[in-house]
């Protein structure tokens, strides 16, 4: 019986980043780890930065659906920091990479 893959939320800077900065590291993670995990990627459905409440609400729901959060903190990001805090408040495993 195959074991169910764990879901990992990919947290990292989006606002103020170019498409390569947003997607390259996420693509590398998926490429390397997709056999072991499924990924929840907020960059696949970006929202306008002016919709801050909607972004936090959407991300909170996505984090709730995940087993863990991988946070790439290569640059300051209030959204990523909020995602880490939401995940910890829900008792999720959080891995922060800098």
């Amino acid at each position: 019986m195959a074991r169910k893959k764990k879901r990992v939320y990919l947290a990292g800077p989006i606002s103020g980043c170019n498409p390569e900065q947003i997607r390259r590291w996420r693509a590398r993670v998926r490429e390397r780890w997709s056999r072991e995990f499924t990924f929840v990627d907020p960059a696949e459905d970006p929202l306008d930065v002016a919709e801050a409440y909607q972004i936090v609400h959407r991300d909170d729901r996505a984090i709730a659906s995940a087993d863990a959060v991988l946070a790439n903190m290569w640059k300051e990001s209030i959204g990523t920091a909020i995602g880490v805090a939401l995940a910890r408040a829900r008792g999720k495993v959080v891995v922060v990479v800098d």
Side-chain angles (χ1 to χ4, degrees):
M1 180 175 177
R3 79 171 218 252
K4 183 179 174 191
K5 291 182 182 181
K6 299 291 186 181
R7 290 172 50 91
V8 178
Y9 180 86
L10 299 176
I14 294 176
S15 179
C17 297
N18 66 45
E20 183 178 356
Q21 292 169 323
I22 294 168
R23 293 185 178 89
R24 189 173 78 182
W25 73 269
R26 289 174 167 92
R28 286 182 175 171
V29 168
R30 274 198 225 75
E31 187 177 289
R32 169 64 179 91
W33 295 102
S34 63
R35 288 184 137 162
E36 290 84 8
F37 303 99
T38 59
F39 297 99
V40 180
D41 185 354
E44 290 177 350
D45 184 24
L47 295 173
D48 189 304
V49 176
E51 301 171 11
Y53 174 79
Q54 288 85 356
I55 293 170
V56 172
H57 185 66
R58 182 221 33 209
D59 291 350
D60 185 40
R61 285 192 322 258
I63 289 166
S65 77
D67 298 296
V69 171
L70 174 60
N72 184 349
M73 295 292 286
W74 64 271
K75 95 176 208 178
E76 287 182 13
S77 167
I78 189 66
T80 304
I82 290 170
V84 167
L86 291 170
R88 291 300 305 143
R90 291 183 173 279
K92 305 291 181 175
V93 172
V94 176
V95 176
V96 177
V97 178
D98 181 9

